[in-house]
Amino acid sequence: MSAMSSLESSSNQEKKIYDETQAVVGSAHADPETQAKVEQVYDPSQESIWTRLGLNFESYKRAPGSTRGQIVHGTAAPELVGQENPLLQQKMKPRHLQMIAVGGSIGTGLFVGSGSALASGGPAGVLIAWIIMGVMLINVTQALGEMAILYPVSGGFYTLASRMLDPSFAFAMGWNYVFQWAVVLPLEITVAGTTVQYWTDQVPLAAWITLFFVVIIRLLLTGQIASIFGTLGYAEEEFWSSCLKLVVVVMFIFIGIICICGGGPSGGEYDQYIGGRYWQDPGALANGFKGVCSVFVTAAFSFAGTELVGLAATETPDPRKTMPSAVKNTFWRITLIYITSLTIIGLAIPFNDPDLFDGSGADISPFVIVIDRAGIRGLNHLINVTICISVLSIGLSCVYAGSRTLTALAETGYAPKMFTYIDKAGRPLASVCAILIFAPLAYINVADVGSAVFDWLVALSGLSTLFTWLAICVTHIRFRKAWKVQGHSVEELPFTALGGAWGSWLGAGLIVLVLIAQFYIAVWPVGGSEGGTAAAEAFFISYLAAPVLILFWVIGYAWKRTLPRKAMDIDLDTGRKSWYTVEEMRQYRAHRRTAPLYVRIYRMLFSSS
């Protein structure tokens, strides 16, 4: 039997096992309530197209039972039944997942936050911080890809952390992740408002905040633009906005190279060769070692959202086919988008440039500064429009990520049951509304203390992202341990992380070092401290997420009294989608090795394993 036909036969066997499981799981292993939930199968494809797209009132009704969009095995504990067959529907296409991976997190951190990072750390400090975070992130996404492809369960890494580590810790991580995106939402709305003020300051910031908030609410209520908070709507919005962001960033890279080499318009600042002048004067590092440490949290904030690929795996029909390429493209995003554009910014603008300190929003964006000084008419407006669309796109990602995680928390009993409400269009409406409640926090920026709010929100969300990535690495380490102890081979995995468990150890180690560096900056901030209240405020601005996470962990333990499971007791069956044997996988990979060399190189760099 050929490798391909063997896998096809195995897939048919999966379906047979699934049908048998559906028939017996309730009576044999579950209480009556769980049995009824499993046996009630809801097929969303039987609904009208208007309902599936969320374009009529019927779509807002609760979806009954569970869908059977995923083939799963094993007998789930009652609280994990929702993760076996989530009501969130598998609508995402490969192109959606690709763009979520490549352009999903390009927003405020790169377009705006890189300016303050350059002022604090200098061009070398920025590159050091982003490269270290990039190496760490590659290992995180590889680990996440390996687990998400094998277990495309509702709640993604939160659910896996609950299973592989400890429900109390997962409770803390899940709520920390929800609040991370809840506070980033008002931040993004505020940045969108300040971005528009680039063209005119005659309209108050509060008016722009209200406008953008109303636009988001209207999209939710009317279901326009393909139901923006449903799976398909979010995916389409992210695809097209990511395309625009990538085009503009690549355009900026080419223009930046020309300007640095002295090819800018005559009479502009870049009509003569600059090269590495600003690395010598004023220098490569703005504040020495402290400056480098201070940039890490901004780098983490700029990469926030990369882990959304793991959440999206639940809403993808065939994650084994589409996820590997999305995971691998993370490397190219880091290399080509972040590192290249940040290198150009460090060469084109000195870290002590007054424009990096004066103004807000797009006024301090190094992208806008470079184009303004190059004297290229109209392009600065295109970049500004892109910044505005980018921050709104990240704002929508806040609702997507926060609502999906909150729904998973409710499904596992760690949040009120009202948040399990999912309508017939596959939208977790109650969870979406809960995240939107935080949007009015943007009005705080209208007050005199508004400038300080940005620092608080960035610091909270940045460290929260680090804790999430650390949890993913540790979860993967525990998964590999359980996989080995329970007699499985790595060859059974449909996708293996590039560095294996050692890659996760490296990623976790780098995250711990970054957390230590951030603690150092929190205690001894750049520029010194006046002591007393000012020192305490500076510490909590830098490290607020840590005590918040610990508080949630204590609450989770006091509530459920759970302890970490032994590797032998970890459930490796519930929600598992790939059940191929070692021999079948060897045949499959041997078949793929017969492809031409250029095809194998493409697969290794961009496509599936």
Side-chain angles (χ1 to χ4, degrees):
M1 182 183 294
S2 67
M4 299 307 294
S5 59
S6 176
L7 288 184
E8 183 177 354
S9 174
S10 179
S11 178
N12 293 333
Q13 182 67 15
E14 284 184 1
K15 296 179 181 179
K16 179 180 178 181
I17 295 176
Y18 172 78
D19 292 334
E20 293 173 353
T21 302
Q22 286 292 107
V24 303
V25 65
S27 58
H29 302 283
D31 55 51
E33 180 180 353
T34 303
Q35 178 181 352
K37 184 176 181 180
V38 172
E39 291 177 346
Q40 186 180 13
V41 177
Y42 168 63
D43 186 2
S45 65
Q46 300 302 311
E47 300 285 354
S48 69
I49 186 173
W50 306 110
T51 300
R52 296 198 304 272
L53 291 177
L55 298 177
N56 59 16
F57 287 108
E58 180 69 20
S59 67
Y60 292 96
K61 295 182 179 180
R62 181 190 286 270
S66 62
T67 62
R68 55 187 304 171
Q70 299 181 72
I71 297 173
V72 294
H73 303 274
T75 301
E79 68 271 16
L80 290 176
V81 172
Q83 275 68 34
E84 273 203 316
N85 295 286
L87 289 165
L88 301 173
Q89 298 169 18
Q90 290 77 47
K91 298 178 180 178
M92 285 194 184
K93 301 176 182 177
R95 62 182 177 90
H96 296 144
L97 210 59
Q98 290 292 328
M99 296 311 294
I100 289 175
V102 175
S105 64
I106 298 177
T108 309
L110 178 62
F111 287 125
V112 180
S114 57
S116 61
L118 178 62
S120 299
V126 166
L127 287 181
I128 292 172
W130 256 267
I131 289 174
I132 290 177
M133 296 300 293
V135 172
M136 176 273 298
L137 192 61
I138 289 173
N139 289 288
V140 170
T141 53
Q142 289 282 324
L144 181 59
E146 179 177 299
M147 295 186 294
I149 292 170
L150 189 63
Y151 301 104
V153 293
S154 176
F157 41 84
Y158 155 73
T159 303
L160 293 175
S162 178
R163 182 185 305 179
M164 307 294 174
L165 297 176
D166 173 37
S168 297
F169 173 77
F171 167 84
M173 187 194 78
W175 276 106
N176 179 73
Y177 194 69
V178 169
F179 282 114
Q180 168 195 333
W181 289 112
V183 299
V184 170
L185 177 59
L187 167 64
E188 298 296 340
I189 292 177
T190 302
V191 174
T194 57
T195 300
V196 176
Q197 288 186 322
Y198 176 82
W199 290 294
T200 177
D201 56 1
Q202 300 301 310
V203 180
L205 177 60
W208 291 119
I209 291 174
T210 303
L211 175 62
F212 288 121
F213 185 45
V214 169
V215 167
I216 291 178
I217 293 296
R218 180 168 176 79
L219 288 173
L220 172 62
L221 294 178
T222 62
Q224 292 177 1
I225 312 184
S227 180
I228 200 71
F229 288 109
T231 302
L232 185 59
Y234 167 75
E236 286 294 343
E237 179 277 330
E238 197 64 25
F239 175 81
W240 292 109
S241 64
S242 295
C243 287
L244 175 62
K245 288 185 282 187
L246 287 174
V247 168
V248 170
V249 172
V250 171
M251 184 188 305
F252 172 81
I253 290 173
F254 282 106
I255 293 175
I257 293 173
I258 294 172
C259 290
I260 294 168
C261 294
S266 180
E269 184 172 328
Y270 301 117
D271 64 348
Q272 56 182 339
Y273 180 77
I274 295 178
R277 178 192 307 171
Y278 297 136
W279 279 64
Q280 300 176 2
D281 182 22
L285 295 173
N287 293 287
F289 178 69
K290 279 188 177 181
V292 176
C293 293
S294 68
V295 175
F296 281 121
V297 69
T298 306
F301 176 75
S302 71
F303 285 131
T306 304
E307 70 285 344
L308 288 179
V309 176
L311 288 175
T314 307
E315 301 176 62
T316 305
D318 190 0
R320 183 180 181 275
K321 180 179 179 181
T322 56
M323 278 287 290
S325 56
V327 169
K328 291 178 180 179
N329 280 332
T330 302
F331 172 79
W332 300 111
R333 182 183 68 185
I334 293 170
T335 303
L336 299 179
I337 303 301
Y338 281 93
I339 302 304
T340 306
S341 58
L342 290 171
T343 300
I344 291 173
I345 289 171
L347 292 172
I349 307 174
F351 68 74
N352 60 356
D353 194 298
D355 287 342
L356 293 175
F357 303 90
D358 299 332
S360 61
D363 289 334
I364 59 174
S365 168
F367 286 78
V368 175
I369 292 174
V370 170
I371 297 302
D372 277 342
R373 294 182 178 179
I376 305 175
R377 294 183 178 181
L379 192 56
N380 58 334
H381 298 299
L382 174 61
I383 290 181
N384 210 47
V385 168
T386 304
I387 293 175
C388 188
I389 293 176
S390 297
V391 296
L392 285 177
S393 172
I394 299 299
L396 295 175
S397 295
C398 296
V399 181
Y400 178 83
S403 63
R404 267 55 180 180
T405 307
L406 182 55
T407 299
L409 281 162
E411 288 173 341
T412 53
Y414 282 102
K417 286 297 182 183
M418 62 178 290
F419 295 118
T420 61
Y421 188 102
I422 299 176
D423 66 16
K424 293 184 177 181
R427 297 170 299 199
L429 289 182
S431 298
V432 166
C433 293
I435 301 301
L436 285 173
I437 290 175
F438 288 84
L441 289 176
Y443 289 107
I444 297 176
N445 289 273
V446 179
D448 295 335
V449 297
S451 59
V453 174
F454 185 92
D455 296 332
W456 281 91
L457 294 181
V458 170
L460 177 61
S461 60
L463 279 189
S464 296
T465 300
L466 289 173
F467 288 129
T468 298
W469 293 339
L470 179 61
I472 291 173
C473 289
V474 177
T475 300
H476 181 244
I477 293 170
R478 288 291 295 164
F479 160 69
R480 278 297 189 95
K481 176 69 174 178
W483 193 256
K484 179 180 179 181
V485 168
Q486 297 186 27
H488 293 284
S489 169
V490 175
E491 291 185 85
E492 296 177 54
L493 300 174
F495 175 82
T496 54
L498 182 63
W502 289 109
S504 293
W505 278 110
L506 174 61
L510 290 175
I511 294 172
V512 171
L513 289 178
V514 171
L515 290 173
I516 293 173
Q518 189 61 24
F519 184 83
Y520 169 67
I521 292 300
V523 178
W524 295 282
V526 175
S529 175
E530 299 176 2
T533 305
E537 182 179 350
F539 174 82
F540 282 107
I541 286 178
S542 300
Y543 230 76
L544 181 61
V548 170
L549 180 68
I550 294 173
L551 175 62
F552 275 118
W553 197 344
V554 172
I555 293 174
Y557 177 76
W559 183 8
K560 298 293 185 178
R561 298 286 181 175
T562 58
L563 293 173
R565 300 181 178 89
K566 295 181 180 179
M568 196 65 193
D569 297 330
I570 292 175
D571 178 12
L572 295 178
D573 292 332
T574 300
R576 179 177 164 191
K577 193 166 186 178
S578 175
W579 287 75
Y580 304 127
T581 65
V582 173
E583 185 60 33
E584 287 172 335
M585 291 305 300
R586 285 177 179 173
Q587 292 181 29
Y588 172 70
R589 287 168 178 146
H591 173 76
R592 289 172 65 85
R593 284 194 292 270
T594 61
L597 179 61
Y598 71 90
V599 174
R600 283 181 283 152
I601 293 176
Y602 175 80
R603 287 172 177 168
M604 179 181 66
L605 296 177
F606 303 103
S607 189
S608 59
S609 60

